[in-house]
């Protein structure tokens, strides 16, 4: 299994550090859920790995390179990121948003090859949003928009996929379906997928590892360890069934 | 399928602009026959020597500047709307046009005040520099704020406040300046395409065309900015550097147009909305050329009206653009029920 992400002594945050030297690792076939209370730093961690914000201290290696050493455009070929904020209300069509996922590979005029178009229509199908392709983003529902944004990340075809609360706007059917799809991508296509979620019950059915924010530490667990430790019961009165 | 739709619409509005271009060329104090205009444009000569001078020195510069100003201002507005992700943004709202006004006011009024001479005003280059500097200074203030303030609504509020401060300074300058320079400044603020000479066009044309070309080449990155700043960053765009780049282009476009034509309002906000409505997309590869042509149509129409409503003199173009455009935009917003960038 190839290591794709290595985090060493990392302190994350905007001005004040939210964590105290976290150490984590992830690689191909990993399907990881980040959990924790509100405001503990789940989004900040994802933002840091995606290169949106700089770490306060410590190192974050992506595919062997320190993140600050990676050239801007290269990072979009290694990491794709779905932020949780739904800022993307615009007149763009779903197909235009999804196509942005190919932009790290296209020329200055964003000319798409046949292969690009094939990838796009393939993932539109897989996320069941082909019928929305020609609709404008403002005219579809929050959940549909979220699926469009996730589809864009898949289209980017990066080894690492980060998603910040991807299930938040989805109905029960779509939540399950999405996590199943993500799990498939991780196991069959050798991706490393990390997402944050509050839908613990559904998430635990699919993931291989769990990163738990507890006070200012983040530690890795598998489901059994978490079950035995009773950490979740103390932390958020959640009992794993 | 929709690809062809966009091309057809672009083609259609281009032809419309071309027709309006010719109509505007014939409009003015002296009616010039269309065949004289065609022969001037194809051979540079006319049967009547008087017409040739009239076309070359007045009509052609005026109409060509109208087209360029329309394109420049609407693209400036479009870029501000995209970067700030706010449908209200535009060079006028953000105080960039007022910045140019201040530059020109310092130059025209201050020049009259301190040097006691009107000679400076006739110098195109110094006019251009002062308007451009004025725009750039306001731009730099807004840029500095925008790199610190994350909320775009606050940037808009700050832009409006800056515009207020700038216009206060301009009125203080007017208070102290002499009558002649005040009059020439007031006329400049009303927007005026008639005073643009053939030599002015030689400056405006290359600046505007190269800036627009440059911006068109940024379309891909502009599209990536649309889904939000975090998204753009995760796609590998250095958002700060990109903002500075786009802001510089907007300063150059707005500054150049404002220097020669006065602060023309409205087009910057209106044209991009019309373009998004007609093309039903925010894709910059389509919406940039679309906004350019629609902005140009707007100003050329206003120019035709300003020359044909009254038989005496010319109505200020600024008044026409607003009266003509505002009801149209209100109608579009009611149709769409919401404004989207």
């Amino acid at each position: 299994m190839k290591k794709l992400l290595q985090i060493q002594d990392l302190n994350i945050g905007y001005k004040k550090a939210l964590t105290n030297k976290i150490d984590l690792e992830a690689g191909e076939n990993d399907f990881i859920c980040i959990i924790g209370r509100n405001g503990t730093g789940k989004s900040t961690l994802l933002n840091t790995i995606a290169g949106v914000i700089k770490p306060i201290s410590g190192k974050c290696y992506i595919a062997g390179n320190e993140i600050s050493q990676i050239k801007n455009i290269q990072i979009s070929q290694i990491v794709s990121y779905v932020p949780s904020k739904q800022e993307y209300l615009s007149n763009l069509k779903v197909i235009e948003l999804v196509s942005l996922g190919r932009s790290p590979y296209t020329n200055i005029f964003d000319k798409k090859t046949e292969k690009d178009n094939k990838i796009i229509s393939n993932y539109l199908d897989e996320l069941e949003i082909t019928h929305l392709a020609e609709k404008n983003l403002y005219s579809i529902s929050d959940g549909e928009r979220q699926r469009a944004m996730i589809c864009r990340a898949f289209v980017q075809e990066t080894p690492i996929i980060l998603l910040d609360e991807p299930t938040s706007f989805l109905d029960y059917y779509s939540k399950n379906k999405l996590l199943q799809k993500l799990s498939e991508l991780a196991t069959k296509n050798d991706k490393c997928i990390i997402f944050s979620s509050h839908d613990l019950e559904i998430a635990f059915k699919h993931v291989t590892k769990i990163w738990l924010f507890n006070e200012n530490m983040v530690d890795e667990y598998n489901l059994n360890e978490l079950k035995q430790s009773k950490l979740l019961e103390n932390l958020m009165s959640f009992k794993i069934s | 399928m929709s690809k062809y739709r966009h091309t057809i619409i672009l083609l259609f509005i281009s032809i419309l602009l071309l027709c309006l271009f010719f109509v505007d060329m014939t409009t003015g104090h002296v009616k010039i026959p269309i065949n004289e205009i065609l022969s001037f444009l194809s051979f540079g000569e006319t049967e009547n020597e008087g017409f040739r001078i009239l076309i070359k020195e007045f009509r052609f510069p005026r109409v060509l500047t109208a087209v360029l100003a329309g394109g420049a201002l609407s693209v400036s507005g479009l870029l501000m709307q995209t970067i700030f992700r706010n449908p209200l943004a535009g060079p006028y709202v953000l105080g960039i046009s007022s910045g140019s006004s201040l530059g020109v006011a310092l130059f025209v009024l201050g020049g009259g005040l301190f040097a006691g001479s009107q000679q400076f005003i006739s110098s195109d280059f110094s006019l251009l520099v002062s308007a451009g500097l004025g725009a750039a200074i306001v731009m730099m203030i807004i840029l500095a704020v925008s790199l610190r303030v994350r909320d775009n609504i606050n940037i808009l509020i700050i832009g409006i406040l800056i515009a207020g401060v700038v216009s206060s300074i301009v009125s203080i300058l007017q208070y102290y300046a002499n009558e002649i320079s005040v009059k020439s400044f007031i006329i400049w603020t009303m927007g005026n395409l008639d005073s643009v000479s053939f030599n002015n066009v030689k400056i405006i044309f290359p600046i505007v065309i190269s800036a627009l070309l440059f911006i068109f080449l940024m379309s891909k990155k502009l599209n990536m900015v649309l889904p939000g700043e975090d998204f753009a960053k995760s796609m590998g765009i250095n958002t700060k550097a990109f903002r500075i780049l786009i802001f510089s282009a907007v300063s150059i476009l707005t500054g150049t147009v404002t220097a020669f034509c006065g602060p023309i309002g409205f087009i910057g906000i209106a044209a991009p909305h019309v373009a998004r409505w007609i093309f039903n997309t925010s894709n910059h590869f389509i919406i940039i050329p679309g906004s350019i042509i629609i902005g140009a149509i707007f100003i050329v129409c206003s120019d035709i009206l300003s020359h044909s409503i009254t038989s005496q003199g010319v109505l200020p173009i600024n008044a026409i653009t607003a009266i003509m455009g505002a009801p149209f935009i209100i109608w579009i917003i009611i149709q769409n029920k919401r404004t989207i960038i």
Side-chain angles (χ1 to χ4, degrees):
Chain A
M1 192 184 78
K2 222 167 96 186
K3 282 271 161 286
L4 286 170
L5 176 70
Q6 282 162 293
I7 290 168
Q8 290 174 358
D9 298 333
L10 189 71
N11 283 336
I12 54 166
Y14 283 88
K15 280 191 179 120
K16 231 180 78 199
L18 290 166
T19 57
N20 182 21
K21 295 194 174 177
I22 47 178
D23 286 283
L24 293 163
E25 268 189 0
E28 281 178 354
N29 308 111
D30 271 340
F31 186 32
I32 301 165
C33 181
I34 304 179
I35 59 174
R37 299 283 304 273
N38 293 130
T40 44
K42 299 184 295 296
S43 299
T44 315
L45 178 61
L46 287 169
N47 271 326
T48 310
I49 304 171
V52 174
I53 59 169
K54 290 196 174 81
I56 288 178
S57 64
K59 299 258 189 273
C60 176
Y61 295 92
I62 287 170
N65 298 306
E66 223 283 300
I67 191 158
S68 57
Q69 306 298 316
I70 303 173
K71 275 228 185 88
N72 284 332
I73 200 74
Q74 277 168 341
I75 195 156
S76 58
Q77 298 179 354
I78 309 171
V79 182
S80 56
Y81 180 37
V82 182
S84 66
K85 260 184 285 169
Q86 284 224 355
E87 267 191 297
Y88 27 91
L89 263 179
S90 75
N91 235 0
L92 277 182
K93 290 197 174 76
V94 170
I95 181 88
E96 288 170 328
L97 176 78
V98 171
S99 303
L100 285 180
R102 294 312 293 167
S103 53
Y105 311 97
T106 58
N107 66 7
I108 193 165
F109 294 110
D110 212 14
K111 181 98 186 102
K112 280 168 205 74
T113 61
E114 203 143 299
K115 184 187 153 217
D116 291 325
N117 288 326
K118 216 169 165 186
I119 293 168
I120 292 166
S121 65
N122 178 28
Y123 282 113
L124 281 173
D125 261 354
E126 284 201 24
L127 281 162
E128 299 172 19
I129 52 171
T130 309
H131 63 289
L132 300 173
E134 291 297 323
K135 290 224 166 128
N136 292 89
L137 285 176
Y138 67 84
S139 68
I140 59 178
S141 76
D142 288 336
E144 290 171 329
R145 220 175 287 129
Q146 198 163 27
R147 262 148 66 199
M149 201 61 179
I150 293 164
C151 184
R152 188 276 312 162
F154 288 178
V155 159
Q156 217 170 315
E157 297 215 306
T158 53
I160 302 174
I161 302 175
L162 308 173
L163 309 99
D164 196 1
E165 296 191 31
T167 53
S168 56
F169 288 100
L170 302 182
D171 57 49
Y172 188 81
Y173 166 85
S174 304
K175 280 181 211 261
N176 251 319
K177 194 94 185 169
L178 172 70
L179 289 174
Q180 214 176 337
K181 184 106 297 166
L182 287 169
S183 158
E184 250 176 59
L185 272 176
T187 46
K188 286 187 192 151
N189 297 16
D190 297 332
K191 307 266 182 205
C192 167
I193 298 177
I194 305 170
F195 72 104
S196 65
S197 185
H198 293 293
D199 291 314
L200 305 186
E201 237 159 301
I202 305 178
F204 288 170
K205 277 200 273 180
H206 301 276
V207 296
T208 57
K209 287 178 187 169
I210 293 145
W211 287 355
L212 173 68
F213 271 81
N214 184 8
E215 285 170 13
N216 51 16
M217 286 308 297
V218 187
D219 291 305
E220 185 182 299
Y221 299 89
N222 62 35
L223 206 52
N224 272 333
E225 289 166 351
L226 212 55
K227 222 176 201 168
Q228 282 157 11
S229 72
K230 305 222 162 154
L231 259 172
L232 282 187
E233 273 174 74
N234 300 332
L235 212 60
M236 33 188 137
S237 325
F238 180 83
K239 210 167 171 190
I240 301 169
S241 49
Chain B
M1 200 50 215
S2 69
K3 215 174 179 178
Y4 293 115
R5 204 181 78 95
H6 291 146
T7 322
I8 291 165
I9 299 174
L10 267 180
L11 203 69
F12 178 75
I13 57 175
S14 306
I15 294 168
L16 181 65
L17 177 61
L18 199 69
C19 297
L20 288 166
F21 182 90
F22 284 114
V23 173
D24 199 10
M25 287 287 280
T26 63
T27 314
H29 280 302
V30 182
K31 290 260 172 283
I32 301 175
I34 190 87
N35 55 336
E36 292 280 50
I37 287 161
L38 286 173
S39 93
F40 173 80
L41 288 177
S42 29
F43 311 110
E45 278 168 30
T46 53
E47 281 175 31
N48 181 325
E49 177 61 15
F51 280 158
R52 197 187 71 83
I53 295 169
L54 192 62
I55 295 174
K56 182 178 177 234
E57 287 303 322
F58 299 98
R59 221 38 85 71
F60 183 61
R62 185 189 91 199
V63 181
L64 188 60
T65 306
V67 172
L68 293 170
L73 292 174
S74 59
V75 166
S76 297
L78 173 69
L79 294 179
M80 294 291 92
Q81 289 165 14
T82 299
I83 293 282
F84 290 125
R85 309 185 36 71
N86 192 309
L88 263 182
Y92 214 76
V93 180
L94 285 169
I96 297 147
S97 300
S98 352
S100 310
S101 297
L102 179 62
V104 173
L106 281 171
F107 172 69
V108 175
L109 304 173
L113 198 62
F114 300 118
S117 146
Q118 291 294 306
Q119 281 172 348
F120 288 107
I121 303 171
S122 56
S123 158
D124 299 332
F125 186 69
S126 8
L127 191 67
L128 180 69
V129 169
S130 53
L133 272 181
I137 288 169
V138 172
M139 266 306 214
M140 261 147 56
I141 297 171
I142 294 174
L143 180 67
V145 171
S146 81
L147 296 180
R148 278 173 189 78
V149 181
R150 261 181 87 81
D151 187 14
N152 288 332
I153 290 285
N154 287 336
I155 296 166
L156 220 58
I157 295 171
I158 289 164
I160 291 166
L161 293 175
I162 292 173
V165 171
V166 167
S167 56
S168 305
I169 298 173
V170 172
S171 21
I172 292 172
L173 280 171
Q174 282 179 8
Y175 183 79
Y176 284 109
N178 66 43
E179 255 176 65
I180 303 163
S181 45
V182 168
K183 193 178 176 207
S184 60
F185 178 72
I186 300 256
I187 288 172
W188 176 84
T189 60
M190 287 176 176
N192 189 355
L193 296 167
D194 289 83
S195 58
V196 180
S197 69
F198 190 72
N199 281 331
N200 293 157
V201 173
K202 281 194 214 153
I203 304 173
I204 303 172
F205 188 83
I207 296 178
V208 169
I209 294 295
S210 45
L212 289 180
L213 211 63
F214 169 78
I215 288 162
F216 183 72
L217 293 178
M218 293 292 118
S219 296
K220 179 173 151 179
K221 283 192 173 180
L222 286 163
N223 283 344
M224 294 208 241
V225 171
L226 275 180
E229 204 174 333
D230 286 353
F231 170 76
K233 277 185 190 164
S234 80
M235 292 300 276
I237 292 180
N238 183 343
T239 47
K240 275 187 187 180
F242 188 60
R243 263 190 189 195
I244 294 172
L245 201 70
I246 294 298
F247 274 47
S248 317
V250 170
S251 305
I252 290 170
L253 283 173
T254 309
T256 309
V257 171
T258 310
F260 291 104
C261 316
I264 299 176
F266 207 75
I267 306 288
I269 290 193
H273 286 298
V274 177
R276 275 189 284 265
W277 174 66
I278 291 179
F279 290 97
N280 192 24
T281 180
S282 313
N283 183 351
H284 286 80
F285 283 106
I286 294 152
I287 224 75
I288 287 176
S291 297
I292 292 174
I293 297 170
I294 286 164
I297 289 176
F298 250 114
I299 298 202
V300 172
C301 281
S302 307
D303 192 48
I304 295 171
L305 285 177
S306 78
H307 284 90
S308 42
I309 286 177
T310 164
S311 54
Q312 291 151 357
V314 184
L315 289 178
I317 192 120
N318 245 342
I320 309 275
T321 50
I323 291 175
M324 204 182 72
F328 192 49
I329 299 304
I330 293 168
W331 182 72
I332 287 180
I333 290 172
I334 292 169
Q335 286 282 305
N336 267 346
K337 306 214 168 51
R338 59 204 292 182
T339 52
I340 318 103
I341 47 134

